Amino acid sequence: MMTDYASLLMSLTSSSAVDSGCMEQLIQEGLYITPSLFSIDRAGLWVLDKDEQAYLCEADFFDGMINHRSSQRLAKKEDAELFSFLENTSEIIINNYFTYESFGINTSKILSRFQLCSLLLIPLQIKGKNRGFIFLGDSEKNIEWSTDVLFASRILVQLFERALLALDNTVAETKLQHQYQLMNEIEKLAKIGGWDYEISTRKTHWTEETYRIYGLSPDEEITIEQATKFYSPEVQKTIKDVFELAVSQLIPYQVELPFVDAQGNHKWVKTTGQIRSNTQGVATHIYGVFEDITEQKQLLDSERSTSEDLKTIVDNLNDSIITISSKGIILSANRMVEKTFGYLQQELIGQNVSILMPKPFVSKHDKYMQNYLKTGHAKIIGIGRELPAMKKDGTSFPMELSISEVLHGNDKVFIGIVRDITERKKAEKDIHQLAYYDDTTGVMNRYSLDRDLKKCFDKSLLLNENITAMLINLDKFSQINLIHGDDTGDVILKETATRLNERLPSWVVTYRSSADSFYVLINPSAAVGLDDSRIMTNEDLAEQILKEIHQTIIVNQHVINVQASIGILNIPAKEIDYIDIKPLLELAVFNAKNKGGNNYVFASNNDTCSLKRHSELSLAMKSNLFIRELNIVLQPQYSTQGKIVGSEALVRWQSASLGGISPVEFIPLAEKNGAIIELGNWIIDKACSLLAQRRMFSKESSPISVNISAKQIAQPNFVDNLLTSLDNYQVPYSELVLELTESALVTDLKLVVSKMELLKSKGILFSIDDFGTGYSSLNYIHHLPITELKIDKCFVDDIKNAVDDVPIINTILQMAKSLKLRVVAEGVESKAQLNYLADHGCDVIQGYYFSKPLNSAQWLDKWKVI
């Protein structure tokens, strides 16, 4: 066996993994084999971190368990003595507290640190520097380390040293490559290349940017003769002259030269030449930079023609430019005045500028001008203003006017720049509409709501009045979108908003807050002075809203009836905090929906206790303790014959500060505040860990089902994270079942289904949880990549004895059979329920009849005895 192991190690010396710095193969095929081969129970690899302040555990094998890349570490600051010893030690051999080598540290300290009785530790040395160590050992018995074991272990260490050295080289090569790329990018941005010419060999070297300037490929070899062919004969003579002076007299040069590149583009370059000479003063190299100055030359040429083009530019500006004398007479105008004012240039010159002003500015202009000339005080010079202007046809329009003054000889001349801002004003109005009004329904949006709600609250607080508001949420609106499509849903929303806007009293203002929610703010002071018969109570108003919403809407020949749940707040402003207004209304809506919808509920002061509870739970969820306080239990699933065929993972939270908290309370809150993502990832990881442990006792397939939130599956990295967890624990994909509720599917069907199909192609199974309690549609169930339906406990409870007839369960079972889906019945607690379900073709039973939820140890014990 030892000979075979030595041969294996020798074969690994030619492995590409070793030379690429990948230690995974060494760990799996070299290190993890040693415990069974040497009759020990422990093996590990520890590597010094890049800061050389801690040893990190890269691999660990203990008592038959692999813990690859565990979180173990030995920091210098935590145990400086042991760290220093390991950093400077040579080979260590300890047999049952007896060491073959004396060293300056307590033997028991080393053995205690690694929980061992016997130890063989060999350091990893790279270029004379300690980079880590491997160790072999046993936690219970004395080991006599044979010569063969020492020989094989030293070969293994050499292989790890080679891998670390290869990794160092890869890092160094990458750094050099990055530096090269950086220099190349700098050259590109600056459009400056470099060159070098060796006089004795006549060899030329260019950087990549020099090649780019010439329009050549960097792969082409270039000579000085080839380079000069891009220049005209006259320029070639200039190059020859400066080169000869540089070589003979060591005189550096800088010249600007025109040339035509390899692609036929005319360019200008600035090139410099510096001389490198030997100790005898003889030139050996000429080198320098090569800068593309084509754009600079073009700018200089452009400046020469600027004065000629100035009038053309002014005439083609989008603004009208008018010069005016100190007496208000128009001296000049560009051609844009025709488009802006409707006048030709010659029609305006010589006219008083007041011709362009509507009343009352016409009569006041000369007075303003004389006052400025006399006092030097003006409200418009140097300051842009928006004013009305008048066209030739007498119509007015908004303009932006900017006036500056210049001296023309001894007289002041005023330059006016006029911009027609009619379109901008319209755009501002449109932007305001987009910012503060909902595009779909036309009513004000949540930004307007936040602004007006704060004003309303502050006013009610000041006047010691009640703050009165309502939150309207359409019942099961997502089902309308699912059945009829989003376009129909938008029509429903628009019609609902129109009815509320047009038919509610004038002192009631409607806002759209989210997809299917509307807020109503009630301003009682606006009703002052109205006939008492027109003033409505909050109850009457809520009844009217429910009635208006419930009226039939016909869209594309489909008759649709909509219902709503309403939360009403009517509380003295001084008795609540502003931030509690929306949560109180949301809680009231929630309570209205719990009554079956199409109802209204008043929020009360007592509801603030629920808000406080939610706040406490949310705060606890943000704590670092939250995940550590969670626990997982598993409820086994049985065939109707009583054999375990799977399990469902259920989460429990025992808070140190709040005590035991029911999932019914904290799961919905986690969905709302985003903690469900971290919670869901934790459950998946725990389920994979338990599956890996179970498979040590039985390879028989028995998957664990895990509930997945719609928010979790919608995460961009959900698929990658899930597959990584399964791979890390080496769990077959088919051993995990993901349960989704119907509400999760309705939330974003296309996104969820696309991820389901991808995961199903990998072998992961899907189940629909609580089937029948949400919105069940054969139209989408038929197309989902699922293998299982779960019947909710509320339906199983309807089975009182085996001869009962429960139509909904019969229907679900018949439908599942036609779709070839497995059915799991939840909440089975009696023999009668089991018999009924078995007689009607149910596949799997879950409930207290067979087993309550078990903690991890109890669950694993069941597999140990199977």
Side-chain angles (χ1 to χ4, degrees):
M1 288 294 291
M2 186 59 68
T3 303
D4 293 341
Y5 180 61
S7 299
L8 171 64
L9 292 180
M10 295 305 294
S11 70
L12 289 174
T13 61
S14 59
S15 168
S16 61
V18 174
D19 292 331
S20 66
C22 177
M23 293 188 286
E24 184 65 28
Q25 187 177 1
L26 285 177
I27 292 170
Q28 296 293 337
E29 298 182 14
L31 182 65
Y32 284 164
I33 292 175
T34 58
S36 61
L37 185 63
F38 300 158
S39 298
I40 57 177
D41 64 5
R42 191 76 186 272
L45 167 67
W46 291 63
V47 178
L48 195 63
D49 70 2
K50 64 178 181 180
D51 298 324
E52 300 183 5
Q53 295 300 308
Y55 284 101
L56 308 179
C57 180
E58 288 290 319
D60 188 48
F61 185 100
F62 181 54
D63 198 18
M65 293 293 292
I66 293 174
N67 189 11
H68 182 53
R69 291 186 182 276
S70 74
S71 59
Q72 298 181 70
R73 58 188 283 121
L74 173 59
K76 185 175 184 179
K77 63 182 180 181
E78 294 171 0
D79 193 334
E81 181 188 20
L82 181 57
F83 183 91
S84 176
F85 171 75
L86 291 172
E87 196 174 27
N88 297 288
T89 190
S90 57
E91 198 171 273
I92 302 171
I93 304 172
I94 301 175
N95 291 345
N96 201 17
Y97 296 104
F98 174 76
T99 174
Y100 287 101
E101 178 180 326
S102 64
F103 40 87
I105 193 168
N106 192 325
T107 301
S108 61
K109 188 171 186 177
I110 300 174
L111 297 177
S112 174
R113 180 64 181 82
F114 296 111
Q115 301 176 25
L116 293 172
C117 177
S118 303
L119 172 70
L120 168 61
L121 185 147
I122 307 178
L124 303 175
Q125 298 284 343
I126 306 295
K127 297 180 180 178
K129 189 172 183 179
N130 181 284
R131 291 292 296 279
F133 55 87
I134 69 166
F135 74 81
L136 309 175
D138 198 275
S139 62
E140 295 180 353
K141 61 181 181 290
N142 176 37
I143 300 296
E144 291 295 335
W145 303 103
S146 67
T147 303
D148 289 342
V149 170
L150 291 173
F151 175 73
S153 300
R154 289 163 184 161
I155 293 176
L156 181 61
V157 166
Q158 290 175 7
L159 291 177
F160 278 116
E161 289 173 345
R162 266 183 59 187
L164 283 173
L165 184 60
L167 188 62
D168 290 347
N169 292 337
T170 301
V171 171
E173 290 174 3
T174 301
K175 185 176 181 181
L176 287 174
Q177 183 65 23
H178 287 171
Q179 291 175 346
Y180 174 76
Q181 291 173 349
L182 176 62
M183 291 302 299
N184 193 28
E185 288 301 316
I186 291 173
E187 282 194 348
K188 272 195 206 176
L189 292 171
K191 294 186 178 179
I192 298 176
W195 61 276
D196 181 86
Y197 174 66
E198 188 176 14
I199 297 171
S200 60
T201 62
R202 299 178 63 81
K203 288 185 178 180
T204 302
H205 171 71
W206 285 355
T207 64
E208 289 191 13
E209 183 59 23
T210 303
Y211 276 101
R212 278 191 286 269
I213 294 173
Y214 271 99
L216 296 171
S217 168
D219 297 329
E220 299 182 42
E221 291 189 7
I222 196 74
T223 66
I224 194 71
E225 291 78 17
Q226 290 171 321
T228 56
K229 289 182 181 179
F230 291 93
Y231 300 88
S232 66
E234 294 81 4
V235 176
Q236 289 182 28
K237 184 178 183 307
T238 300
I239 295 172
K240 180 180 178 183
D241 292 343
V242 297
F243 242 73
E244 288 178 352
L245 282 172
V247 173
S248 61
Q249 301 182 34
L250 307 182
I251 298 175
Y253 62 84
Q254 176 178 298
V255 290
E256 295 180 0
L257 306 170
F259 78 105
V260 180
D261 72 8
Q263 311 302 320
N265 300 309
H266 290 264
K267 294 181 177 179
W268 277 84
V269 291
K270 179 192 290 184
T271 181
T272 63
Q274 298 289 334
I275 301 90
R276 187 184 301 117
S277 58
N278 58 23
T279 55
Q280 289 76 39
V282 177
T284 59
H285 293 76
I286 301 178
Y287 65 94
V289 296
F290 196 74
E291 180 181 0
D292 186 346
I293 59 170
T294 306
E295 291 183 6
Q296 298 173 31
K297 284 289 186 181
Q298 290 172 345
L299 286 173
L300 289 173
D301 292 341
S302 175
E303 287 177 5
R304 297 189 185 98
S305 61
T306 297
S307 58
E308 299 173 4
D309 296 337
L310 184 57
K311 187 178 185 304
T312 302
I313 293 171
V314 170
D315 279 339
N316 287 279
L317 289 175
N318 289 328
D319 299 331
S320 294
I321 300 178
I322 303 170
T323 59
I324 310 161
S325 72
S326 58
K327 295 181 179 180
I329 302 302
I330 297 174
L331 302 176
S332 68
N334 67 348
R335 285 188 297 189
M336 192 62 188
V337 295
E338 184 176 354
K339 181 178 180 181
T340 305
F341 293 97
Y343 290 99
L344 297 175
Q345 292 169 280
Q346 54 269 29
E347 289 182 286
L348 288 177
I349 295 173
Q351 297 287 338
N352 191 288
V353 71
S354 60
I355 194 176
L356 304 177
M357 303 175 184
K359 294 180 179 180
F361 296 93
V362 174
S363 58
K364 296 179 179 180
H365 173 261
D366 289 340
K367 181 179 178 181
Y368 289 154
M369 182 68 75
Q370 292 304 316
N371 181 66
Y372 170 67
L373 293 173
K374 184 177 180 180
T375 65
H377 299 299
K379 297 180 180 179
I380 192 169
I381 303 296
I383 303 173
R385 291 185 62 183
E386 293 182 7
L387 295 167
M390 188 171 69
K391 294 180 181 288
K392 183 178 180 179
D393 62 7
T395 58
S396 295
F397 67 94
M399 70 170 175
E400 185 178 74
L401 174 63
S402 177
I403 297 179
S404 58
E405 63 174 308
V406 295
L407 284 175
H408 187 66
N410 294 325
D411 294 330
K412 286 185 176 180
V413 174
F414 301 93
I415 302 173
I417 301 176
V418 176
R419 176 171 294 176
D420 185 343
I421 57 173
T422 303
E423 291 299 321
R424 191 176 82 187
K425 285 293 184 182
K426 181 180 181 300
E428 287 175 356
K429 184 178 180 182
D430 292 342
I431 290 171
H432 182 271
Q433 183 74 17
L434 289 171
Y436 293 100
Y437 287 81
D438 179 57
D439 187 48
T440 301
T441 63
V443 299
M444 285 187 283
N445 60 17
R446 60 188 180 92
Y447 298 108
S448 297
L449 170 67
D450 292 340
R451 176 196 63 195
D452 295 349
L453 183 59
K454 187 67 171 68
K455 288 180 181 178
C456 186
F457 178 78
D458 291 342
K459 180 182 177 183
S460 299
L461 199 61
L462 181 65
L463 299 178
N464 197 21
E465 294 178 342
N466 281 16
I467 175 74
T468 308
M470 295 186 183
L471 173 58
I472 306 164
N473 182 262
L474 302 184
D475 294 335
K476 300 181 180 180
F477 182 73
S478 58
Q479 298 177 13
I480 295 175
N481 282 333
L482 187 63
I483 298 171
H484 302 289
D486 292 345
D487 291 341
T488 296
D490 288 346
V491 173
I492 299 294
L493 291 170
K494 188 172 183 179
E495 177 61 23
T496 300
T498 299
R499 292 178 180 180
L500 295 175
N501 236 14
E502 293 179 353
R503 300 176 191 176
L504 295 183
S506 59
W507 62 87
V508 175
V509 183
T510 304
Y511 305 80
R512 185 186 178 199
S513 174
S514 61
D516 54 359
S517 292
F518 295 88
Y519 276 89
V520 168
L521 292 187
I522 300 167
N523 182 14
S525 61
V528 174
L530 295 177
D531 187 339
D532 289 344
S533 63
R534 296 173 57 191
I535 300 176
M536 305 170 66
T537 65
N538 290 319
E539 292 86 345
D540 292 339
L541 184 58
E543 291 286 359
Q544 182 180 347
I545 291 172
L546 293 175
K547 180 180 177 182
E548 293 292 346
I549 291 176
H550 193 50
Q551 291 183 33
T552 297
I553 300 174
I554 300 176
V555 184
N556 297 328
Q557 299 181 344
H558 293 290
V559 177
I560 302 172
N561 290 305
V562 183
Q563 296 183 161
S565 297
I566 303 176
I568 306 173
L569 180 73
N570 184 33
I571 298 175
K574 65 181 181 180
E575 294 183 7
I576 62 170
D577 293 328
Y578 173 74
I579 58 173
D580 289 336
I581 293 176
K582 287 184 178 179
L584 283 170
L585 285 168
E586 289 169 0
L587 185 57
V589 167
F590 177 79
N591 292 334
K593 287 186 180 292
N594 281 344
K595 288 186 174 183
N598 196 31
N599 208 331
Y600 62 85
V601 169
F602 278 84
S604 71
N605 291 4
N606 294 333
D607 290 336
T608 55
C609 295
S610 296
L611 294 179
K612 182 181 179 182
R613 173 67 171 174
H614 288 175
S615 177
E616 289 175 342
L617 291 177
S618 295
L619 189 62
M621 286 181 182
K622 293 177 182 178
S623 167
N624 293 332
L625 295 174
F626 172 55
I627 290 298
R628 283 184 276 173
E629 291 175 343
L630 296 177
N631 189 26
I632 195 170
V633 296
L634 300 107
Q635 185 165 35
Q637 299 170 333
Y638 293 81
S639 68
T640 53
Q641 290 76 38
K643 179 183 177 182
I644 296 180
V645 294
S647 304
E648 181 179 3
L650 306 170
V651 65
R652 299 291 184 261
W653 181 16
Q654 183 67 34
S655 169
S657 58
L658 301 174
I661 303 164
S662 168
V664 176
E665 186 176 15
F666 75 82
I667 293 294
L669 189 58
E671 285 274 7
K672 187 175 181 180
N673 62 28
I676 195 71
I677 307 300
E678 184 182 13
L679 189 153
N681 291 336
W682 177 86
I683 295 174
I684 288 175
D685 185 75
K686 287 295 182 185
C688 291
S689 174
L690 286 169
L691 281 167
Q693 294 176 60
R694 181 192 66 78
R695 286 177 60 79
M696 295 177 63
F697 306 115
S698 171
K699 298 294 184 182
E700 183 179 349
S701 177
S702 183
I704 290 181
S705 299
V706 176
N707 283 284
I708 297 297
S709 160
K711 287 186 178 180
Q712 186 179 7
I713 199 171
Q715 295 298 304
N717 57 357
F718 172 75
V719 172
D720 290 339
N721 288 347
L722 177 63
L723 297 179
T724 298
S725 292
L726 288 162
D727 291 340
N728 285 343
Y729 287 102
Q730 300 180 2
V731 174
Y733 293 172
S734 60
E735 289 295 284
L736 189 66
V737 178
L738 299 183
E739 294 187 9
L740 291 97
T741 61
E742 295 174 72
S743 58
L745 292 168
V746 170
T747 301
D748 194 338
L749 188 61
K750 291 182 180 178
L751 173 65
V752 173
V753 170
S754 66
K755 294 192 176 184
M756 289 174 68
E757 289 174 342
L758 173 58
L759 290 171
K760 184 183 179 184
S761 69
K762 303 287 186 181
I764 292 173
L765 306 176
F766 285 91
S767 173
I768 300 300
D769 192 19
D770 299 340
F771 184 75
T773 60
Y775 173 67
S776 308
S777 169
L778 285 174
N779 184 43
Y780 80 85
I781 290 292
H782 178 66
H783 294 94
L784 288 176
I786 61 175
T787 58
E788 179 182 279
L789 296 178
K790 297 191 77 175
I791 302 176
D792 189 71
K793 182 180 184 299
C794 66
F795 300 126
V796 175
D797 288 343
D798 290 337
I799 304 173
K800 306 304 179 184
N801 54 65
V803 296
D804 277 346
D805 188 43
V806 185
I808 192 166
I809 288 183
N810 299 345
T811 302
I812 293 173
L813 290 169
Q814 290 169 7
M815 181 195 73
K817 183 177 180 181
S818 66
L819 295 176
K820 298 181 180 178
L821 299 176
R822 188 172 77 156
V823 178
V824 179
E826 295 183 301
V828 178
E829 298 178 352
S830 69
K831 179 69 172 178
Q833 291 172 336
L834 169 64
N835 291 340
Y836 183 93
L837 291 164
D839 291 343
H840 287 79
C842 184
D843 303 292
V844 180
I845 304 300
Q846 178 179 333
Y848 280 25
Y849 179 76
F850 280 118
S851 175
K852 295 181 178 180
L854 307 173
N855 62 39
S856 300
Q858 292 170 332
W859 183 77
L860 286 172
D861 285 342
K862 277 190 171 291
W863 294 102
K864 291 177 183 178
V865 298
I866 291 178

